[in-house]
Amino acid sequence: VFQSGKGLRARTHRALFRFREDGETRLGMIVPKKAFARAVDRNRIKRLIRDSFRRQRASLGPMDIVIQVRGEARDETLFLGELTQAWQKLGKTAPPPGP
């Protein structure tokens, strides 16, 4: 995903994605210890991302997605709002035409 993927940027996170051919949608998360020193905070952010992903998974195409969180994600309402917008943008993104 890092080498051949495309990305969406927001204030609280960065979403990288790459289309897949097998029809599966997968999620990866990067929550840095530098921005969230306590494990409790990192785990809370991961739970929020997983829950949001589960709700939007049906509207997403087959792709690998990596969410890289920034320190501004401490504001949960802002983070969840921007994450929802990212899912909507990813849902509208069409895979490249096949051979």
Side-chain angles (χ1 to χ4, degrees):
V1 175
F2 288 103
Q3 292 176 354
S4 64
K6 297 178 183 179
L8 301 173
R9 288 183 176 263
R11 201 164 98 198
T12 59
H13 68 278
R14 184 171 88 166
L16 302 167
F17 65 96
R18 183 182 62 131
F19 291 101
R20 298 173 53 91
E21 295 180 8
D22 66 356
E24 186 179 357
T25 304
R26 300 187 307 176
L27 174 68
M29 296 173 281
I30 301 171
V31 183
K33 189 183 277 190
K34 189 172 184 177
F36 299 93
R38 298 181 338 159
V40 174
D41 297 332
R42 291 191 303 275
N43 292 335
R44 172 127 179 93
I45 292 291
K46 291 177 193 178
R47 278 195 306 273
L48 291 172
I49 294 170
R50 278 192 296 267
D51 183 51
S52 179
F53 175 70
R54 283 186 198 115
R55 293 172 193 231
Q56 300 294 327
R57 190 175 199 167
S59 65
L60 300 172
M63 61 178 77
D64 289 333
I65 304 167
V66 175
I67 302 293
Q68 186 173 11
V69 179
R70 296 186 180 150
E72 289 83 3
R74 292 186 193 286
D75 182 0
E76 280 186 30
T77 55
L78 176 64
F79 177 62
L80 289 175
E82 288 186 348
L83 194 57
T84 302
Q85 289 176 355
W87 296 136
Q88 290 171 354
K89 288 179 185 177
L90 288 172
K92 293 177 183 177
T93 306

